[in-house]
Amino acid sequence: MTWFDESRLDDESALGAADLRLRTLAESGSRVRREVGAATEAIAEAVARASDSRPRAVIAAGPDSRLLRAVLEPVCPVPFVAWPNPGLPGWAGSLDLVVVLAPEGGDEGASSAVAEAARRGCQLVVATPASSRVAEHAGSRWTTILPTQTGDQLATAVAMLSFLHQVALGPVASPDAVAEALDEVAMSCAPRRDISINPGKMLAIALADADPLVWGGSVLAARAARRVAESIRRSSGRAALAGDAEHLLPVIEAARAHDLFDDPFADVGDSDGKRRPALLVLDDGAEDPMAQAQRTRLESAAAERQVRVETVTAEADGDVARYASLLLQGTYAAEYLRLGLVAG
């Protein structure tokens, strides 16, 4: 049996024990600056190489390709394919641009993709450590390595998106705006900041007795929702779920209406020993009518079943910066949830 002790969120010794994980979150903005700064010359080289002609298609290969798809797919002026499997699509060739995110540098799927791209003569841009296994497989006259240093997926993606924007294949993804958005979250959710004014700690408290259902309306907010749910599952062991409205509505509608006779001091959300769901909405300001309709359905169902609704907002400059803000806010909450949960 575990229970949540919110006093631990302001306790110096408890915070000290979690210092490494929280410090890693606080340094998210600096990692973006480091990765983009280290890759500046390589990005310029890749831009010069790509300036002759627009590629027939862009293929984002490797296991981290879905983040690039979330950013590029709606706006890329040429066909765009995310290919998370080993190797490449059978049609990929010398007319195509292959981009790969491999921040750790040892992934077998990414190694397979870059080796195949080099063999076929594709223009290849790989964000990976310069001395890594992936870099060794990527060698060709058409390859540019964007050297990475931190192993941070988001920071690596921002460096790649900077290149793609400069060759008119992707939207503006200002590294400065992303780093500033991350810094703002780190300051507002800082460990020494009191519970009463710390949004990360307050969200952790709100989710302490619940199984979170995480929803984001835009493509990027939905991806942030999946990543936040993963963080909550890792930190708490809770059955956090992210998905579209049609996936989450049945869970909300199956929740038992709150009973006035439930024990208010129980450690669980329901008198039958089961935690109740809580809806966590990640709002990046997108105004898509379909997404707004889905949100209305979810919130109406939650109100009917007396399911608590929590909202995380992001108002940073740019889609990628807002994604980064939502992701870091949710990750801070997951770490504070981990900190507050104790075995009883």
Side-chain angles (χ1 to χ4, degrees):
M1 175 69 72
T2 60
W3 59 287
F4 188 81
D5 180 2
E6 68 179 64
S7 68
R8 287 174 55 83
L9 304 189
D10 282 340
D11 181 79
E12 290 292 332
S13 59
L15 289 168
D19 180 70
L20 179 59
R21 291 192 299 270
L22 294 170
R23 188 187 300 262
T24 299
L25 298 183
E27 294 172 348
S28 298
S30 67
R31 287 195 295 274
V32 170
R33 294 185 180 91
R34 285 177 59 193
E35 293 290 24
V36 175
T40 298
E41 292 185 8
I43 291 173
E45 175 189 328
V47 170
R49 182 171 287 161
S51 62
D52 294 339
S53 62
R54 177 171 284 179
R56 175 181 62 179
V58 177
I59 304 163
D64 290 337
S65 60
R66 292 183 178 89
L67 174 56
L68 295 180
R69 178 177 65 187
V71 179
L72 266 74
E73 199 168 45
V75 298
C76 187
V78 300
F80 177 88
V81 176
W83 191 260
N85 307 309
L88 293 176
W91 51 263
S94 60
L95 298 178
D96 304 308
L97 169 64
V98 176
V99 296
V100 181
L101 302 181
E104 298 292 344
D107 182 81
E108 291 187 7
S111 298
S112 171
V114 299
E116 190 67 14
R119 185 183 70 81
R120 299 190 198 182
C122 302
Q123 182 187 348
L124 177 60
V125 181
V126 187
T128 194
S131 59
S132 66
R133 175 182 179 183
V134 171
E136 291 173 1
H137 283 77
S140 82
R141 61 179 295 192
W142 306 112
T143 297
T144 303
I145 301 295
L146 308 186
T148 64
Q149 303 176 345
T150 67
D152 186 294
Q153 183 195 52
L154 177 60
T156 303
V158 172
M160 183 66 75
L161 289 168
S162 179
F163 156 70
L164 290 166
H165 171 64
Q166 292 181 49
V167 294
L169 293 173
V172 176
S174 167
D176 288 339
V178 176
E180 288 171 8
L182 293 169
D183 288 346
E184 288 178 6
V185 174
M187 287 187 289
S188 66
C189 297
R192 279 11 183 217
R193 205 160 188 237
D194 184 79
I195 285 178
S196 62
I197 54 172
N198 188 315
K201 294 179 181 180
M202 289 190 287
L203 182 56
I205 293 169
L207 300 178
D209 63 349
D211 284 330
L213 307 175
V214 194
W215 178 85
S218 70
V219 174
L220 279 171
R223 177 168 178 81
R226 290 191 291 273
R227 296 287 306 280
V228 168
E230 290 170 7
S231 295
I232 293 172
R233 288 195 294 269
R234 285 196 301 268
S235 65
S236 68
R238 301 281 175 86
L241 176 65
D244 297 332
E246 58 264 28
H247 299 132
L248 303 183
L249 274 169
V251 182
I252 294 174
E253 292 168 349
R256 181 175 64 83
H258 185 67
D259 191 334
L260 292 175
F261 297 100
D262 282 348
D263 180 1
F265 300 105
D267 292 332
V268 292
D270 266 341
S271 59
D272 60 2
K274 296 181 179 179
R275 285 185 296 271
R276 290 174 57 76
L279 176 62
L280 176 57
V281 174
L282 303 187
D283 182 1
D284 63 356
E287 297 180 352
D288 178 66
M290 185 174 296
Q292 292 298 324
Q294 290 185 0
R295 178 172 177 173
T296 298
R297 290 174 61 201
L298 286 167
E299 292 179 341
S300 296
E304 181 179 343
R305 305 304 293 177
Q306 298 175 335
V307 168
R308 186 169 60 253
V309 179
E310 300 292 335
T311 303
V312 175
T313 61
E315 299 178 354
D317 183 16
D319 292 343
V320 179
R322 289 190 288 274
Y323 163 80
S325 176
L326 292 175
L327 178 59
L328 190 57
Q329 289 181 72
T331 307
Y332 261 110
E335 286 302 328
Y336 287 129
L337 184 61
R338 183 204 303 268
L339 181 63
L341 289 172
V342 293

